[in-house]
Amino acid sequence: MSSNWIKSAVFYEIYPNSFMDSNGDGYGDFKGITAKLDYIKSLGCNAIWLNPHYDSPFMDGGYDVRDYFKVSDRFGTEEDFDEMLATAHAKGIKIILDLVPGHTSEQNADFLKSAEPVKNEMYDRFIWTDGIWRNYDGVNGLGGRHDRDGKYIINYFATQPALNYGYNRIDYPEWQMPYTSEAAKATREWLKSVMRFWLDRGADGFRVDMADSLVKNDGERNEKPATTELWRDIRAMLDKEYPDCVLVSEWSDPQAARAGFHVDFMLEFASNPYNLLVRGDKERKRRAYFDPAGGDAKAFADGFIDWYKQVNEAGGNIGLITCNHDTPRLAPVYDNEQLKLIYATVFTLPGVPFIYYGDEIGMKYIPDIPSVECGFSRTGSRTPMQWSMEKNAGFSSAEHTFLPTFADKQTNVASQQKDKRSLLNFMKEFLAFRRSRKEFISDDFEILYANGSEPLVYKRGGLVVAVNPLKTKQNAPVALPPKVKALFSVGKDAKAQKTCIAVPPLSFTVFGEK
Ligand code: ISL
Protein backbone atom coordinates (compact mmCIF):
# COMPACT_ATOMS: atom_id res chain seq x y z
CA MET A 1 0.00 0.00 0.00
CA SER A 2 0.95 3.58 -0.43
CA SER A 3 -0.70 6.94 -0.74
CA ASN A 4 -1.24 6.06 -4.43
CA TRP A 5 -4.83 5.15 -3.59
CA ILE A 6 -5.54 8.86 -3.92
CA LYS A 7 -5.36 8.60 -7.73
CA SER A 8 -8.52 6.50 -7.92
CA ALA A 9 -10.28 8.02 -4.92
CA VAL A 10 -13.75 9.55 -5.21
CA PHE A 11 -14.63 11.43 -2.02
CA TYR A 12 -17.91 12.17 -0.32
CA GLU A 13 -17.74 15.14 2.06
CA ILE A 14 -19.80 14.78 5.23
CA TYR A 15 -20.70 17.64 7.53
CA PRO A 16 -21.42 15.41 10.54
CA ASN A 17 -24.07 17.65 12.13
CA SER A 18 -26.21 17.33 9.04
CA PHE A 19 -25.88 13.85 7.64
CA MET A 20 -27.85 11.34 9.70
CA ASP A 21 -29.13 11.48 13.26
CA SER A 22 -29.29 7.99 14.82
CA ASN A 23 -30.44 8.92 18.34
CA GLY A 24 -33.09 11.56 17.75
CA ASP A 25 -31.27 14.50 19.38
CA GLY A 26 -31.47 16.64 16.25
CA TYR A 27 -27.77 16.42 15.34
CA GLY A 28 -26.15 13.98 12.94
CA ASP A 29 -23.74 11.48 14.47
CA PHE A 30 -21.16 8.74 13.89
CA LYS A 31 -23.71 5.93 14.11
CA GLY A 32 -25.80 7.74 11.51
CA ILE A 33 -22.80 7.84 9.18
CA THR A 34 -22.06 4.16 9.82
CA ALA A 35 -25.64 3.31 8.87
CA LYS A 36 -25.28 5.15 5.58
CA LEU A 37 -21.92 3.77 4.44
CA ASP A 38 -23.61 1.39 2.00
CA TYR A 39 -25.42 4.35 0.47
CA ILE A 40 -22.10 6.17 0.02
CA LYS A 41 -20.54 3.09 -1.49
CA SER A 42 -23.50 2.53 -3.83
CA LEU A 43 -22.95 6.01 -5.18
CA GLY A 44 -19.46 5.00 -6.30
CA CYS A 45 -17.46 6.79 -3.61
CA ASN A 46 -14.55 5.01 -1.97
CA ALA A 47 -13.48 7.73 0.44
CA ILE A 48 -14.99 10.21 2.88
CA TRP A 49 -13.82 13.61 4.05
CA LEU A 50 -15.34 14.18 7.45
CA ASN A 51 -15.66 17.79 8.62
CA PRO A 52 -14.43 18.37 12.21
CA HIS A 53 -15.47 15.66 14.63
CA TYR A 54 -13.53 16.93 17.67
CA ASP A 55 -14.67 18.16 21.04
CA SER A 56 -15.66 21.77 20.40
CA PRO A 57 -17.92 24.56 21.65
CA PHE A 58 -19.03 24.90 17.98
CA MET A 59 -18.46 28.61 17.58
CA ASP A 60 -17.38 27.90 13.99
CA GLY A 61 -19.06 24.63 13.10
CA GLY A 62 -16.34 22.63 14.90
CA TYR A 63 -13.38 24.48 13.33
CA ASP A 64 -12.76 25.69 16.86
CA VAL A 65 -11.26 22.62 18.48
CA ARG A 66 -11.31 22.42 22.26
CA ASP A 67 -9.67 19.01 22.58
CA TYR A 68 -7.70 17.59 19.66
CA PHE A 69 -7.56 14.14 21.21
CA LYS A 70 -11.26 13.64 21.82
CA VAL A 71 -14.38 13.27 19.69
CA SER A 72 -17.36 15.55 20.22
CA ASP A 73 -19.95 13.82 22.38
CA ARG A 74 -22.55 15.47 20.17
CA PHE A 75 -21.54 12.90 17.54
CA GLY A 76 -21.36 9.91 19.88
CA THR A 77 -18.75 8.05 21.86
CA GLU A 78 -15.12 7.21 21.13
CA GLU A 79 -16.33 3.66 20.41
CA ASP A 80 -18.91 4.94 17.93
CA PHE A 81 -16.14 6.77 16.10
CA ASP A 82 -13.92 3.67 16.00
CA GLU A 83 -16.84 1.57 14.83
CA MET A 84 -17.53 4.03 12.00
CA LEU A 85 -13.90 3.87 10.91
CA ALA A 86 -13.69 0.07 11.13
CA THR A 87 -16.98 -0.44 9.28
CA ALA A 88 -15.90 1.96 6.54
CA HIS A 89 -12.61 0.12 6.14
CA ALA A 90 -14.36 -3.22 5.98
CA LYS A 91 -16.42 -1.84 3.09
CA GLY A 92 -13.34 -0.50 1.29
CA ILE A 93 -13.99 3.14 2.20
CA LYS A 94 -11.20 5.40 3.45
CA ILE A 95 -11.87 8.25 5.85
CA ILE A 96 -9.84 11.42 6.04
CA LEU A 97 -10.38 13.77 8.97
CA ASP A 98 -10.34 17.54 9.09
CA LEU A 99 -7.14 18.82 10.69
CA VAL A 100 -7.30 22.33 12.08
CA PRO A 101 -3.65 23.32 12.57
CA GLY A 102 -3.85 27.12 12.50
CA HIS A 103 -6.00 27.88 15.52
CA THR A 104 -7.76 26.28 18.45
CA SER A 105 -10.93 27.19 20.28
CA GLU A 106 -10.62 29.91 22.89
CA GLN A 107 -11.68 27.14 25.30
CA ASN A 108 -8.71 24.91 24.43
CA ALA A 109 -6.76 24.00 27.59
CA ASP A 110 -3.39 24.90 26.08
CA PHE A 111 -4.72 28.32 25.09
CA LEU A 112 -6.15 28.94 28.55
CA LYS A 113 -2.80 27.96 30.03
CA SER A 114 -1.03 30.39 27.69
CA ALA A 115 -3.47 33.11 28.81
CA GLU A 116 -2.33 32.90 32.44
CA PRO A 117 -0.40 35.91 33.76
CA VAL A 118 2.69 33.96 34.77
CA LYS A 119 5.06 32.29 32.27
CA ASN A 120 4.43 28.57 31.84
CA GLU A 121 5.02 25.73 29.38
CA MET A 122 2.28 27.01 27.00
CA TYR A 123 3.37 30.65 27.10
CA ASP A 124 4.67 30.62 23.52
CA ARG A 125 2.26 28.09 21.99
CA PHE A 126 0.00 30.94 20.80
CA ILE A 127 0.86 34.37 19.43
CA TRP A 128 0.60 37.12 22.04
CA THR A 129 1.72 40.72 21.81
CA ASP A 130 3.95 42.09 24.55
CA GLY A 131 1.54 44.35 26.43
CA ILE A 132 -2.15 45.02 26.70
CA TRP A 133 -1.77 48.80 26.23
CA ARG A 134 0.42 48.65 23.12
CA ASN A 135 -1.11 48.72 19.64
CA TYR A 136 0.58 47.57 16.46
CA ASP A 137 -0.37 48.43 12.89
CA GLY A 138 -1.99 45.62 10.96
CA VAL A 139 -2.15 43.32 13.97
CA ASN A 140 -5.38 41.47 14.63
CA GLY A 141 -5.12 41.13 18.42
CA LEU A 142 -7.73 40.76 21.14
CA GLY A 143 -7.13 41.61 24.77
CA GLY A 144 -8.85 42.06 28.08
CA ARG A 145 -10.45 38.66 28.42
CA HIS A 146 -7.56 37.02 30.25
CA ASP A 147 -4.97 38.10 32.80
CA ARG A 148 -1.97 37.76 30.51
CA ASP A 149 -0.53 41.18 29.81
CA GLY A 150 -0.88 41.16 26.02
CA LYS A 151 -3.27 40.58 23.15
CA TYR A 152 -3.68 37.29 21.35
CA ILE A 153 -3.67 37.12 17.57
CA ILE A 154 -6.64 35.44 15.97
CA ASN A 155 -6.49 33.25 12.89
CA TYR A 156 -10.12 33.49 11.82
CA PHE A 157 -13.03 34.39 14.12
CA ALA A 158 -12.59 36.04 17.54
CA THR A 159 -12.96 32.63 19.18
CA GLN A 160 -10.00 31.14 17.26
CA PRO A 161 -6.58 32.14 18.65
CA ALA A 162 -3.65 31.55 16.30
CA LEU A 163 -1.17 28.83 17.19
CA ASN A 164 2.42 29.99 17.06
CA TYR A 165 4.34 28.60 14.09
CA GLY A 166 6.39 31.79 14.07
CA TYR A 167 6.95 34.53 11.53
CA ASN A 168 8.91 34.71 8.32
CA ARG A 169 9.19 38.50 8.01
CA ILE A 170 9.48 39.99 11.48
CA ASP A 171 8.03 43.47 11.96
CA TYR A 172 7.92 43.55 15.77
CA PRO A 173 10.81 41.58 17.26
CA GLU A 174 9.48 42.37 20.75
CA TRP A 175 7.00 39.51 20.42
CA GLN A 176 7.07 38.00 16.90
CA MET A 177 9.27 34.91 16.86
CA PRO A 178 11.12 33.48 13.85
CA TYR A 179 9.58 30.36 12.36
CA THR A 180 12.85 28.65 13.12
CA SER A 181 12.58 29.39 16.85
CA GLU A 182 12.30 26.59 19.41
CA ALA A 183 8.76 27.70 20.31
CA ALA A 184 7.61 27.52 16.68
CA LYS A 185 9.21 24.12 16.29
CA ALA A 186 7.48 22.89 19.43
CA THR A 187 4.10 23.82 17.94
CA ARG A 188 4.98 21.89 14.81
CA GLU A 189 5.91 18.84 16.90
CA TRP A 190 2.62 19.13 18.77
CA LEU A 191 0.81 19.13 15.42
CA LYS A 192 2.65 15.96 14.42
CA SER A 193 1.52 14.36 17.66
CA VAL A 194 -2.12 15.18 16.81
CA MET A 195 -1.68 13.60 13.39
CA ARG A 196 0.00 10.49 14.78
CA PHE A 197 -2.81 10.08 17.31
CA TRP A 198 -5.54 9.87 14.64
CA LEU A 199 -3.44 7.92 12.15
CA ASP A 200 -2.64 5.33 14.82
CA ARG A 201 -6.35 5.11 15.39
CA GLY A 202 -6.89 4.26 11.72
CA ALA A 203 -7.59 7.53 9.92
CA ASP A 204 -6.43 7.50 6.29
CA GLY A 205 -5.30 11.09 6.09
CA PHE A 206 -6.35 14.68 6.61
CA ARG A 207 -8.02 17.56 4.89
CA VAL A 208 -5.98 20.44 6.24
CA ASP A 209 -7.87 23.58 7.14
CA MET A 210 -6.32 26.90 6.04
CA ALA A 211 -3.09 25.03 5.33
CA ASP A 212 -1.33 28.14 4.07
CA SER A 213 -2.04 30.16 7.21
CA LEU A 214 0.55 28.74 9.60
CA VAL A 215 3.70 30.85 9.38
CA LYS A 216 2.81 34.54 9.53
CA ASN A 217 4.14 37.26 7.20
CA ASP A 218 5.05 34.57 4.71
CA GLY A 219 4.14 36.27 1.43
CA GLU A 220 1.35 35.60 -1.03
CA ARG A 221 -0.62 32.40 -1.49
CA ASN A 222 1.67 31.34 -4.36
CA GLU A 223 4.84 31.89 -2.32
CA LYS A 224 4.75 31.07 1.40
CA PRO A 225 8.29 29.67 1.55
CA ALA A 226 8.36 29.04 5.32
CA THR A 227 4.90 27.42 5.38
CA THR A 228 6.05 25.29 2.44
CA GLU A 229 9.12 24.20 4.38
CA LEU A 230 6.96 23.31 7.38
CA TRP A 231 4.61 21.09 5.36
CA ARG A 232 7.51 19.42 3.56
CA ASP A 233 8.86 18.46 6.94
CA ILE A 234 5.48 17.03 7.94
CA ARG A 235 5.15 15.17 4.65
CA ALA A 236 8.61 13.65 5.17
CA MET A 237 7.47 12.41 8.58
CA LEU A 238 4.35 10.89 7.04
CA ASP A 239 6.20 9.23 4.17
CA LYS A 240 8.46 7.59 6.70
CA GLU A 241 5.98 6.66 9.40
CA TYR A 242 2.59 6.54 7.62
CA PRO A 243 3.20 6.04 3.89
CA ASP A 244 -0.51 5.33 3.16
CA CYS A 245 -1.63 8.65 4.61
CA VAL A 246 -2.80 11.40 2.27
CA LEU A 247 -2.82 15.13 2.84
CA VAL A 248 -5.46 17.29 1.17
CA SER A 249 -5.05 21.02 1.53
CA GLU A 250 -7.26 24.02 1.67
CA TRP A 251 -4.69 26.29 0.06
CA SER A 252 -5.95 26.62 -3.50
CA ASP A 253 -2.72 27.31 -5.26
CA PRO A 254 -0.23 25.05 -7.09
CA GLN A 255 2.22 25.98 -4.35
CA ALA A 256 0.43 23.43 -2.14
CA ALA A 257 1.68 20.58 -4.34
CA ARG A 258 5.21 21.91 -3.99
CA ALA A 259 4.67 21.95 -0.23
CA GLY A 260 3.97 18.21 -0.34
CA PHE A 261 0.17 17.97 -0.40
CA HIS A 262 -1.18 14.99 -2.34
CA VAL A 263 -4.28 17.00 -3.26
CA ASP A 264 -5.15 20.68 -3.12
CA PHE A 265 -8.65 22.01 -3.71
CA MET A 266 -9.25 24.38 -6.58
CA LEU A 267 -11.74 26.55 -4.68
CA GLU A 268 -14.26 29.17 -5.66
CA PHE A 269 -11.87 32.05 -5.03
CA ALA A 270 -12.09 35.03 -7.42
CA SER A 271 -11.01 34.11 -10.93
CA ASN A 272 -9.79 30.60 -10.18
CA PRO A 273 -10.34 28.42 -13.26
CA TYR A 274 -12.98 26.46 -11.33
CA ASN A 275 -14.98 29.67 -10.96
CA LEU A 276 -14.64 30.49 -14.61
CA LEU A 277 -16.03 27.05 -15.41
CA VAL A 278 -18.89 26.76 -12.95
CA ARG A 279 -19.52 29.69 -10.65
CA GLY A 280 -18.48 32.95 -12.26
CA ASP A 281 -16.66 35.87 -10.69
CA LYS A 282 -19.20 38.57 -9.85
CA GLU A 283 -16.64 41.09 -8.69
CA ARG A 284 -14.77 41.03 -11.97
CA LYS A 285 -18.01 40.59 -13.95
CA ARG A 286 -16.92 37.30 -15.49
CA ARG A 287 -19.57 34.71 -16.24
CA ALA A 288 -19.01 31.00 -15.81
CA TYR A 289 -18.73 28.82 -18.89
CA PHE A 290 -21.87 26.96 -17.77
CA ASP A 291 -23.84 30.17 -17.44
CA PRO A 292 -26.64 29.92 -20.04
CA ALA A 293 -25.86 33.54 -20.97
CA GLY A 294 -22.47 32.36 -22.24
CA GLY A 295 -19.05 32.30 -20.61
CA ASP A 296 -15.44 32.04 -21.68
CA ALA A 297 -14.07 28.53 -22.22
CA LYS A 298 -10.67 29.88 -23.23
CA ALA A 299 -10.18 31.82 -19.98
CA PHE A 300 -11.02 28.65 -18.05
CA ALA A 301 -8.81 26.43 -20.22
CA ASP A 302 -5.73 28.66 -20.07
CA GLY A 303 -5.96 29.01 -16.31
CA PHE A 304 -6.68 25.33 -15.73
CA ILE A 305 -3.83 24.07 -17.91
CA ASP A 306 -1.31 26.33 -16.25
CA TRP A 307 -2.50 25.24 -12.78
CA TYR A 308 -2.63 21.58 -13.75
CA LYS A 309 0.90 21.58 -15.23
CA GLN A 310 2.36 23.05 -12.07
CA VAL A 311 0.51 20.63 -9.79
CA ASN A 312 1.34 17.63 -11.95
CA GLU A 313 5.02 18.55 -12.14
CA ALA A 314 5.16 18.71 -8.35
CA GLY A 315 3.50 15.27 -8.07
CA GLY A 316 0.19 16.57 -6.70
CA ASN A 317 -3.45 16.42 -7.76
CA ILE A 318 -6.23 18.97 -8.08
CA GLY A 319 -9.23 18.52 -5.76
CA LEU A 320 -12.36 18.96 -7.93
CA ILE A 321 -15.49 19.85 -5.99
CA THR A 322 -19.23 20.06 -6.54
CA CYS A 323 -19.38 22.45 -3.58
CA ASN A 324 -18.33 22.36 0.07
CA HIS A 325 -19.55 23.46 3.50
CA ASP A 326 -18.34 27.04 2.85
CA THR A 327 -19.76 27.49 -0.64
CA PRO A 328 -23.29 28.02 -1.96
CA ARG A 329 -24.62 24.84 -3.51
CA LEU A 330 -24.98 24.93 -7.30
CA ALA A 331 -28.75 24.31 -7.07
CA PRO A 332 -31.05 26.10 -7.64
CA VAL A 333 -28.86 28.33 -9.84
CA TYR A 334 -28.57 25.29 -12.09
CA ASP A 335 -31.33 22.69 -12.59
CA ASN A 336 -30.67 18.96 -12.38
CA GLU A 337 -30.09 18.53 -16.13
CA GLN A 338 -27.45 21.27 -16.06
CA LEU A 339 -25.94 19.72 -12.94
CA LYS A 340 -25.47 16.44 -14.81
CA LEU A 341 -23.43 18.29 -17.43
CA ILE A 342 -21.43 20.15 -14.81
CA TYR A 343 -20.62 17.09 -12.66
CA ALA A 344 -19.65 15.05 -15.72
CA THR A 345 -17.39 17.84 -16.99
CA VAL A 346 -15.74 18.70 -13.68
CA PHE A 347 -15.09 15.04 -12.83
CA THR A 348 -13.60 14.14 -16.21
CA LEU A 349 -10.95 16.81 -15.80
CA PRO A 350 -7.74 15.51 -14.28
CA GLY A 351 -8.10 15.51 -10.50
CA VAL A 352 -9.73 13.92 -7.49
CA PRO A 353 -13.54 14.30 -7.22
CA PHE A 354 -15.21 15.48 -4.01
CA ILE A 355 -19.01 15.30 -3.81
CA TYR A 356 -20.52 17.43 -1.07
CA TYR A 357 -23.31 15.48 0.66
CA GLY A 358 -26.66 16.13 -0.98
CA ASP A 359 -25.22 17.47 -4.23
CA GLU A 360 -25.91 14.05 -5.76
CA ILE A 361 -29.64 14.76 -5.37
CA GLY A 362 -29.41 18.46 -6.23
CA MET A 363 -30.01 19.77 -2.70
CA LYS A 364 -30.54 23.49 -2.84
CA TYR A 365 -28.70 26.35 -1.24
CA ILE A 366 -31.17 27.95 1.20
CA PRO A 367 -30.68 31.70 1.33
CA ASP A 368 -31.65 33.80 4.33
CA ILE A 369 -31.87 31.18 7.04
CA PRO A 370 -30.59 32.54 10.35
CA SER A 371 -26.97 31.71 11.03
CA VAL A 372 -26.32 28.83 13.41
CA GLU A 373 -22.92 28.21 15.01
CA CYS A 374 -21.35 31.01 12.98
CA GLY A 375 -22.23 29.52 9.65
CA PHE A 376 -23.47 32.94 8.42
CA SER A 377 -24.14 32.76 4.66
CA ARG A 378 -22.64 29.25 4.71
CA THR A 379 -25.56 27.98 6.82
CA GLY A 380 -27.68 27.64 3.68
CA SER A 381 -25.34 24.92 2.39
CA ARG A 382 -25.33 22.98 5.66
CA THR A 383 -28.98 21.95 6.04
CA PRO A 384 -29.68 18.30 6.88
CA MET A 385 -29.43 15.61 4.25
CA GLN A 386 -32.75 14.93 2.51
CA TRP A 387 -33.27 11.19 2.72
CA SER A 388 -37.00 10.88 2.18
CA MET A 389 -40.38 12.60 2.55
CA GLU A 390 -40.69 11.30 6.12
CA LYS A 391 -40.42 13.50 9.22
CA ASN A 392 -37.44 15.88 9.05
CA ALA A 393 -36.67 14.59 5.56
CA GLY A 394 -35.76 11.23 7.13
CA PHE A 395 -32.75 12.85 8.83
CA SER A 396 -33.92 12.72 12.42
CA SER A 397 -36.85 11.77 14.63
CA ALA A 398 -36.29 14.84 16.86
CA GLU A 399 -38.89 17.55 17.40
CA HIS A 400 -36.24 20.18 16.65
CA THR A 401 -33.30 19.61 14.37
CA PHE A 402 -30.24 21.84 14.68
CA LEU A 403 -31.03 23.37 11.30
CA PRO A 404 -34.37 23.20 9.52
CA THR A 405 -34.90 20.38 7.05
CA PHE A 406 -36.18 20.97 3.52
CA ALA A 407 -37.63 18.02 1.70
CA ASP A 408 -39.38 18.37 -1.58
CA LYS A 409 -40.88 15.57 -3.59
CA GLN A 410 -38.04 15.48 -6.11
CA THR A 411 -35.09 16.34 -3.91
CA ASN A 412 -34.73 13.33 -1.66
CA VAL A 413 -32.85 10.06 -1.88
CA ALA A 414 -35.87 7.74 -1.66
CA SER A 415 -37.72 9.26 -4.60
CA GLN A 416 -34.62 9.62 -6.75
CA GLN A 417 -33.68 6.00 -6.18
CA LYS A 418 -36.96 5.05 -7.88
CA ASP A 419 -36.52 7.40 -10.82
CA LYS A 420 -34.22 6.09 -13.55
CA ARG A 421 -33.55 9.57 -14.90
CA SER A 422 -32.80 11.19 -11.54
CA LEU A 423 -29.63 13.08 -10.73
CA LEU A 424 -28.78 10.43 -8.15
CA ASN A 425 -28.98 7.56 -10.64
CA PHE A 426 -27.07 9.64 -13.15
CA MET A 427 -24.29 10.17 -10.60
CA LYS A 428 -24.05 6.42 -10.00
CA GLU A 429 -23.91 5.61 -13.72
CA PHE A 430 -21.44 8.35 -14.41
CA LEU A 431 -19.09 7.36 -11.58
CA ALA A 432 -19.29 3.70 -12.66
CA PHE A 433 -18.30 4.74 -16.20
CA ARG A 434 -15.51 6.95 -14.85
CA ARG A 435 -14.23 4.06 -12.75
CA SER A 436 -14.22 1.74 -15.74
CA ARG A 437 -11.81 3.93 -17.75
CA LYS A 438 -8.28 4.32 -16.50
CA GLU A 439 -7.84 7.28 -18.90
CA PHE A 440 -9.60 9.45 -16.32
CA ILE A 441 -6.95 8.83 -13.72
CA SER A 442 -4.05 9.21 -16.12
CA ASP A 443 -2.18 12.47 -16.58
CA ASP A 444 -2.70 12.44 -20.34
CA PHE A 445 -4.78 15.60 -20.72
CA GLU A 446 -5.07 18.12 -23.49
CA ILE A 447 -7.61 20.78 -24.33
CA LEU A 448 -8.48 20.43 -28.01
CA TYR A 449 -10.90 23.33 -28.37
CA ALA A 450 -11.95 26.20 -26.13
CA ASN A 451 -13.46 29.38 -27.49
CA GLY A 452 -16.08 31.57 -25.79
CA SER A 453 -19.31 29.66 -25.19
CA GLU A 454 -18.67 27.21 -28.03
CA PRO A 455 -18.31 23.53 -27.12
CA LEU A 456 -15.37 22.69 -24.91
CA VAL A 457 -13.43 19.68 -26.21
CA TYR A 458 -10.66 17.89 -24.36
CA LYS A 459 -8.75 14.66 -24.48
CA ARG A 460 -8.08 12.15 -21.70
CA GLY A 461 -5.75 9.48 -23.04
CA GLY A 462 -7.53 8.01 -26.06
CA LEU A 463 -10.89 9.47 -25.00
CA VAL A 464 -12.32 12.77 -26.22
CA VAL A 465 -14.93 14.75 -24.28
CA ALA A 466 -17.20 17.33 -25.92
CA VAL A 467 -19.59 19.48 -23.91
CA ASN A 468 -22.11 22.12 -24.94
CA PRO A 469 -23.56 24.22 -22.07
CA LEU A 470 -25.95 26.21 -24.28
CA LYS A 471 -29.53 25.53 -25.30
CA THR A 472 -28.57 25.73 -28.96
CA LYS A 473 -26.81 23.15 -31.11
CA GLN A 474 -23.15 24.06 -31.81
CA ASN A 475 -20.23 22.65 -33.81
CA ALA A 476 -16.66 22.37 -32.57
CA PRO A 477 -13.97 22.41 -35.27
CA VAL A 478 -12.25 19.21 -34.11
CA ALA A 479 -11.81 16.21 -36.42
CA LEU A 480 -12.00 12.85 -34.66
CA PRO A 481 -10.58 9.57 -36.00
CA PRO A 482 -13.22 7.66 -38.02
CA LYS A 483 -13.48 4.68 -35.67
CA VAL A 484 -14.61 6.53 -32.54
CA LYS A 485 -18.09 6.28 -31.12
CA ALA A 486 -20.00 7.80 -28.21
CA LEU A 487 -19.30 5.76 -25.06
CA PHE A 488 -21.18 7.87 -22.53
CA SER A 489 -23.38 10.89 -22.84
CA VAL A 490 -25.65 13.36 -21.09
CA GLY A 491 -28.45 14.51 -23.37
CA LYS A 492 -28.18 13.48 -27.01
CA ASP A 493 -24.90 12.03 -28.32
CA ALA A 494 -22.58 14.43 -30.08
CA LYS A 495 -21.72 13.31 -33.65
CA ALA A 496 -18.23 13.18 -35.09
CA GLN A 497 -18.31 14.61 -38.61
CA LYS A 498 -15.51 14.97 -41.13
CA THR A 499 -14.09 18.26 -39.92
CA CYS A 500 -16.06 18.96 -36.77
CA ILE A 501 -18.07 17.55 -33.89
CA ALA A 502 -21.78 18.43 -33.92
CA VAL A 503 -22.69 18.92 -30.28
CA PRO A 504 -26.42 18.94 -29.36
CA PRO A 505 -27.83 21.52 -26.93
CA LEU A 506 -27.06 20.90 -23.24
CA SER A 507 -25.01 17.78 -23.90
CA PHE A 508 -21.85 16.00 -22.84
CA THR A 509 -20.33 13.12 -24.79
CA VAL A 510 -17.28 10.96 -24.23
CA PHE A 511 -15.89 9.46 -27.48
CA GLY A 512 -13.56 6.51 -27.68
CA GLU A 513 -12.73 3.50 -29.80
CA LYS A 514 -14.34 1.02 -27.48
O1 ISL B 1 -15.99 30.42 3.80
C1 ISL B 1 -15.34 31.18 3.16
C2 ISL B 1 -16.01 32.35 2.59
O2 ISL B 1 -17.41 32.15 2.66
C3 ISL B 1 -13.89 30.94 2.90
O3 ISL B 1 -13.21 32.07 2.60
C4 ISL B 1 -13.32 30.25 4.13
O4 ISL B 1 -13.47 31.12 5.18
C5 ISL B 1 -11.87 29.88 4.02
O5 ISL B 1 -11.79 29.03 2.94
C6 ISL B 1 -11.36 29.14 5.29
O6 ISL B 1 -12.24 28.10 5.60
C7 ISL B 1 -11.89 27.10 6.52
O7 ISL B 1 -11.47 27.61 7.76
C8 ISL B 1 -12.43 28.32 8.53
C9 ISL B 1 -13.75 27.57 8.67
O8 ISL B 1 -14.71 28.43 9.20
C10 ISL B 1 -14.21 27.05 7.32
O9 ISL B 1 -15.40 26.30 7.47
C11 ISL B 1 -13.10 26.21 6.78
O10 ISL B 1 -13.43 25.52 5.60
C12 ISL B 1 -11.80 28.54 9.89
O11 ISL B 1 -11.37 27.33 10.43
Side-chain angles (χ1 to χ4, degrees), residues 60 63 103 156 207 209-210 250 269 325-326 378 382:
D60 179 19
Y63 284 94
H103 46 267
Y156 200 71
R207 173 271 187 186
D209 188 63
M210 294 175 65
E250 186 194 32
F269 297 154
H325 63 290
D326 291 336
R378 306 172 297 183
R382 298 176 179 182

Side-chain angles (χ1 to χ4, degrees), residues 60 103 115 221 229 259 282 375 439 459 496:
D60 179 19
H103 46 267
R221 200 178 280 276
E229 197 181 307
K282 285 204 187 84
E439 290 89 338
K459 185 171 151 324

Side-chain angles (χ1 to χ4, degrees), residues 154-229:
I154 62 168
N155 210 35
Y156 200 71
F157 291 147
T159 53
Q160 292 161 313
L163 280 151
N164 181 21
Y165 296 90
Y167 281 73
N168 190 352
R169 190 195 70 242
I170 296 197
D171 298 329
Y172 307 111
E174 302 87 322
W175 53 272
Q176 295 179 338
M177 296 173 201
Y179 72 96
T180 47
S181 61
E182 285 310 311
K185 281 194 195 147
T187 311
R188 193 192 292 190
E189 290 311 310
W190 164 84
L191 179 61
K192 287 182 191 165
S193 74
V194 174
M195 296 172 87
R196 288 189 182 104
F197 177 84
W198 293 102
L199 291 169
D200 287 342
R201 201 142 156 192
D204 298 290
F206 301 98
R207 173 271 187 186
V208 181
D209 188 63
M210 294 175 65
D212 64 326
S213 75
L214 303 196
V215 178
K216 306 302 181 207
N217 291 354
D218 197 24
E220 297 304 313
R221 200 178 280 276
N222 62 350
E223 302 165 357
K224 309 247 173 180
T227 308
T228 297
E229 197 181 307

